[in-house]
Amino acid sequence: MIMMNPLTLRSVLAAGLCAATALAAGAAPSLADFQARAERSKLRLELPDYPRTTDEIRDRTTSALQAADAALLELTAQAATRATFASTFGAFEEITGRVSTWANRIGTVSESHPDKAVRDAARDAGQRIDAWGIALEYREDVYRVLQAWADTKPTLDAQQQRLVDFTLRDYRRAGLALPPAERQQVEQLRKSLSELTRQFDVNINEARAPLDFTAEELAGVPATLLNSPGVKQPDGRYRVMANITWHVSAVQDNADNPDVRRRVTVARGQLAREKNIPVLSKMVALRAEVARRLGYATWADYRTETRMSGRAAVALKFEEDLVKGLEPKFAAELETLRQLKAAHTGQADARIEAWDTAYYTNKLRKEKYAVDTEALRVFFAYEPTLRGMFAIYEKVFGLKFTQVEPPYVWAPGVQLWVAADADSGDPVGAFYLDMFPREGKYNHFAHFRQNMGRALPDGGYQLPVSVLLCNFPPPTADKPSLLSHGNATTLFHEFGHVMHNLLGRARYPSLNYAGVPKDFIEAPSQMLENWVWNKAVLDTFAADYRDPAKKIPAETIDAMIRAREATEGMSYRRQLSLGLMDLGLHTLSPGDAWTADVVELTNAVGARVSVPPAPDTAFVAYFGHLSGYDGGYYGYLWSKVMAIDMASVFETAPDGYLDEKIGRRLRDEVYAAGHTRDVSESVEKFLGRPRSQKAFLQYVGIKE
Ligand SMILES: [Zn+2]
């Protein structure tokens, strides 16, 4: 029996019809109405049942892991002759899906619960789940049963086949397909590797480089640095820490004295050098060894296998093509900065050094492209911005969002919304919004997936649920919450992840949003950032909250675009140099990897692709991405370029960024398809052509 709130009940009774009609008639439907509606269409709209106490977190984690272990025991103990897809790979997906759903819930609690004890308990529980997951990767008994069943060459449909392939691939990648002795060697190497990686991170975290300057030397540096606690020393000088990024930026962007900028840049470039260069050299060699033993030519080939690029050579070509494509813009921007320096120093043959780029870029922005971004906040009051974004996403993706009364929220002010298909009225999923800062809450902006879409054994479908944790500026006594343009961009981006999770319709969770390759997952959201730079889109909601007739002037938007474009050639070439350093280190053969000079190799890439590094520095010793994003740094640009390519389809559509036909295609071909087929195929089906870097080059300002 479904409970309904009085308002809906009344309208249902009056019409003598079902809740679906009440929905269509415009009454405010409740969560229960949506759940009943879902049930009739064989959909299940369930909300996460969040644990609320430390005991509950601990006990329910224990029972979740015990239940998973019991199910694994059943899986491994079954008679091979009676095994089916459902009792092998289906069961494995079910077991891991349940544990990850619990992990998602725990992860959200640890980032959002107002009570510190509850957050800490959730963090501990998260670590237990992680350890369980790692142990599962090495479960030979599980792997044997799965492999044995796959060896019977059963007839499978496309989604089942992918699930089988990916599951076995992951076990193969963990070394389980190797003979026992070789597998042990790989495990040993991986243990040493993880110890080295840990050491690399520790050395980065512990590196310190204080430099003391007089007030005169720091001319131009903003007071925010000089007055910051701990900066002013008893002797009257000011201490800049080269290991604190914002200290370094404050000096590099603003210090008029080139020698001060040089000293800080050099100190930055020498951080962790003595300790980390030997560590990194060994990491690179061990990675090459592990890759070879697992059957890959290089570590980057191993790392990219599960990505969209698939092979190191593809990622490398992508980066080198972009280096070339950006060359005219990069050269022109560098020359602009050089002329600025020549005029500023009076030396006609001035050259841009590593410690000049940030300084002259900042000067250029201030002198030529000044946009008062603070003044734009009045156009982005939180409520109208949120409603405006909803209206746009509703139109583009054919949806309707309705706020409902949540049965439980972890903090006051958290909202629950149901997304429904605009045509059928069927719910497609639900999302929570937790949008303002709070003591102890996660302090960035992020999407957390909760329930994942999946087919149910009874033929129904479990609908996905998402959470957004954001930290927009809270309203004050006399002003509403006013977002910056950057905040508004973030909102469009993060809500793109909600859409990606909610609209997936794969049968298995790991073939939905959760499973798409890491170098793709940001692309749809990066694409949606473009909406906030478009006058037609902005005019639908961005208006001065004190006088809604006032819109953002076209000249302001143009000026913002010109400011963004002004130095993108240089900043993307810098990103490319980092991606190519990473790929350079991780495409070495095992033989070369043992003898490579990691500093020489990476500094040479920097000099070729970006501005040459300061002499006697070793940036790579402090390049934290090399643990965790190794072989994957290229992915930032890979997805960005794809995002701009995808956005260009909207740009040429009759209704531009608000075009429903293109939006529908995006929903069907990209979001709904999830990882049920290769994403490159989905993206090209959406584009209606092969992928290209052309739109990206135009976006950075290379006009043909
Ligand atoms: Zn994102």
Side-chain angles (χ1 to χ4, degrees):
M1 189 60 208
I2 304 292
M3 300 289 290
M4 292 183 194
N5 67 36
L7 177 72
T8 318
L9 189 59
R10 200 170 53 238
S11 50
V12 170
L13 289 176
L17 290 166
C18 66
T21 319
L23 253 152
S30 68
L31 174 63
D33 295 334
F34 280 116
Q35 287 174 321
R37 167 89 215 207
E39 212 56 50
R40 273 194 299 279
S41 301
K42 297 192 85 177
L43 302 166
R44 196 160 308 153
L45 179 60
E46 269 173 11
L47 296 177
D49 173 15
Y50 292 104
R52 304 177 199 185
T53 64
T54 55
D55 285 353
E56 219 189 313
I57 288 168
R58 194 193 51 234
D59 296 348
R60 286 175 65 188
T61 301
T62 303
S63 42
L65 296 181
Q66 277 171 354
D69 283 335
L72 283 170
L73 188 65
E74 214 172 289
L75 187 155
T76 52
Q78 65 187 306
T81 46
R82 297 235 293 274
T84 61
F85 176 82
S87 76
T88 55
F89 289 89
F92 185 82
E93 175 77 0
E94 183 72 28
I95 296 165
T96 51
R98 275 212 203 109
V99 173
S100 21
T101 302
W102 180 248
N104 294 344
R105 215 162 288 179
I106 288 291
T108 308
V109 171
S110 79
E111 298 291 0
S112 67
H113 201 280
D115 183 346
K116 182 172 187 308
V118 173
R119 291 197 304 272
D120 290 346
R123 213 153 284 152
D124 290 346
Q127 283 171 7
R128 281 171 66 199
I129 298 170
D130 283 349
W132 182 88
I134 292 168
L136 180 63
E137 277 182 41
Y138 291 98
R139 283 280 298 260
E140 195 185 347
D141 54 344
V142 175
Y143 168 66
R144 294 256 166 268
V145 168
L146 296 176
Q147 184 66 59
W149 187 75
D151 286 343
T152 66
K153 301 266 179 287
T155 311
L156 299 171
D157 66 38
Q159 289 197 35
Q160 290 173 329
Q161 188 64 56
R162 277 175 83 77
L163 199 63
V164 167
D165 292 346
F166 292 149
T167 310
L168 292 178
R169 179 194 71 188
D170 291 346
Y171 270 115
R172 181 170 46 71
R173 287 169 60 79
L176 292 217
L178 297 173
E182 285 177 48
R183 193 171 77 216
Q184 269 168 18
Q185 283 175 345
V186 169
E187 273 180 38
Q188 208 45 54
L189 284 168
R190 295 190 90 144
K191 272 192 195 133
S192 313
L193 194 47
S194 90
E195 174 50 29
L196 285 167
T197 316
R198 196 193 60 78
Q199 197 57 56
F200 184 76
D201 291 339
V202 168
N203 292 341
I204 287 179
N205 288 334
E206 289 180 350
R208 298 282 180 276
L211 292 117
D212 289 353
F213 297 105
T214 62
E216 197 195 348
E217 285 175 311
L218 291 178
V221 175
T224 40
L225 174 61
L226 305 183
N227 298 336
S228 172
V231 169
K232 184 147 190 195
Q233 298 301 301
D235 66 2
R237 294 198 296 169
Y238 295 86
R239 180 158 295 174
V240 174
M241 300 295 290
N243 52 292
I244 300 179
T245 307
W246 78 268
H247 280 203
V248 175
S249 305
V251 172
Q252 286 180 334
D253 289 354
N254 303 292
D256 295 322
N257 183 333
D259 195 52
V260 169
R261 298 198 304 267
R262 185 189 59 77
R263 283 169 59 198
V264 170
T265 303
V266 169
R268 175 85 173 174
Q270 292 178 344
L271 285 171
R273 180 170 67 169
E274 273 63 42
K275 285 186 176 166
N276 260 353
I277 292 310
V279 174
L280 180 63
S281 304
K282 195 149 182 220
M283 273 161 67
V284 166
L286 291 194
R287 282 169 175 167
E289 285 292 340
V290 169
R292 183 179 64 78
R293 283 159 202 260
L294 289 172
Y296 302 84
T298 69
W299 180 253
D301 282 309
Y302 169 72
R303 292 288 277 171
T304 49
E305 185 191 23
T306 58
R307 311 275 161 99
M308 199 175 164
S309 63
R311 282 181 301 128
V314 175
L316 262 175
K317 179 174 185 317
F318 165 82
E319 298 256 288
E320 292 293 359
D321 284 350
L322 261 189
V323 168
K324 223 166 123 202
L326 286 168
E327 178 57 29
K329 187 81 186 349
F330 172 76
E333 288 175 16
L334 193 59
E335 178 55 20
T336 303
L337 294 190
R338 202 198 64 77
Q339 285 174 13
L340 205 57
K341 182 177 176 182
H344 185 230
T345 58
Q347 294 170 318
D349 61 347
R351 194 180 105 119
I352 292 292
E353 307 284 358
W355 49 91
D356 291 329
T357 44
Y359 180 76
Y360 287 103
T361 298
N362 190 32
K363 218 175 186 32
L364 181 75
R365 284 213 189 107
K366 279 202 280 200
E367 288 176 7
K368 237 179 122 183
Y369 298 101
V371 179
D372 184 358
T373 50
E374 277 305 298
L376 284 174
R377 284 184 189 269
V378 297
F379 296 100
F380 296 107
Y382 170 76
E383 276 297 332
T385 304
L386 182 76
R387 305 277 158 174
M389 179 191 71
F390 278 173
I392 290 161
Y393 283 51
E394 285 180 333
K395 182 175 183 328
V396 173
F397 297 118
L399 298 170
K400 172 109 187 71
F401 304 135
T402 308
Q403 189 180 355
V404 296
E405 192 61 44
Y408 162 78
V409 287
W410 47 91
V414 175
Q415 296 180 347
L416 175 63
W417 292 73
V418 173
D421 185 85
D423 293 337
S424 69
D426 281 346
V428 301
F431 56 92
Y432 293 87
L433 300 180
D434 181 352
M435 305 301 251
F436 298 100
R438 185 170 60 237
E439 175 62 32
K441 185 181 140 179
Y442 175 77
N443 59 10
H444 298 282
F445 301 76
H447 166 254
F448 292 72
R449 64 171 185 266
Q450 305 294 302
N451 294 349
M452 301 177 279
R454 65 187 181 111
L456 297 166
D458 63 5
Y461 196 83
Q462 158 129 38
L463 297 174
V465 177
S466 285
V467 167
L468 272 192
L469 296 183
C470 296
N471 288 281
F472 293 114
T476 60
D478 57 340
K479 269 189 214 151
S481 161
L482 297 177
L483 312 191
S484 65
H485 179 258
N487 288 154
T489 311
T490 302
L491 180 63
F492 273 70
H493 175 108
E494 295 304 334
F495 200 72
H497 289 302
V498 174
M499 293 287 92
H500 205 163
N501 186 36
L502 259 46
L503 296 173
R505 284 300 170 266
R507 293 214 305 277
Y508 307 107
S510 63
L511 298 184
N512 260 325
Y513 173 71
V516 302
K518 283 200 176 68
D519 52 3
F520 172 71
I521 201 157
E522 291 300 326
S525 288
Q526 287 171 319
M527 176 191 79
L528 291 160
E529 292 177 14
N530 283 35
W531 272 236
V532 194
W533 292 82
N534 179 274
K535 171 93 174 138
V537 173
L538 287 170
D539 280 352
T540 65
F541 70 89
D544 190 325
Y545 76 99
R546 299 157 304 186
D547 175 8
K550 276 195 198 149
K551 305 283 185 186
I552 304 178
E555 317 72 87
T556 306
I557 299 171
D558 287 346
M560 285 162 65
I561 293 173
R562 278 198 308 274
R564 175 181 66 65
E565 285 176 353
T567 52
E568 287 208 312
M570 293 199 58
S571 68
Y572 283 121
R573 281 282 286 257
R574 170 78 183 150
Q575 266 209 46
L576 284 165
S577 78
L578 302 185
L580 285 165
M581 286 179 199
D582 169 28
L583 287 172
L585 292 173
H586 295 120
T587 47
L588 295 168
S589 68
D592 291 343
W594 281 108
T595 54
D597 182 332
V598 297
V599 176
E600 201 182 284
L601 188 154
T602 49
N603 279 354
V605 172
R608 175 171 71 87
V609 178
S610 182
V611 174
D616 196 28
T617 56
F619 163 79
V620 78
Y622 200 68
F623 188 11
H625 282 80
L626 294 180
S627 87
Y629 280 75
D630 44 291
Y633 195 94
Y634 78 91
Y636 288 115
L637 259 177
W638 178 280
S639 60
K640 178 76 180 179
V641 169
M642 199 159 30
I644 302 299
D645 201 12
M646 289 166 72
S648 72
V649 178
F650 279 97
E651 269 163 34
T652 50
D655 225 356
Y657 282 126
L658 302 173
D659 197 278
E660 292 169 45
K661 217 174 124 206
I662 304 295
R664 188 69 217 193
R665 202 157 89 204
L666 182 72
R667 179 175 162 183
D668 294 342
E669 300 291 356
V670 177
Y671 287 162
H675 200 216
T676 58
R677 61 183 180 204
D678 285 350
V679 267
S680 49
E681 190 186 331
S682 297
V683 171
E684 297 196 349
K685 281 217 156 85
F686 167 71
L687 294 173
R689 57 166 169 80
R691 285 182 287 132
S692 147
Q693 298 184 343
K694 207 173 125 201
F696 176 78
L697 293 174
Q698 279 170 3
Y699 167 84
V700 302
I702 299 178
K703 318 278 188 227
E704 280 160 53

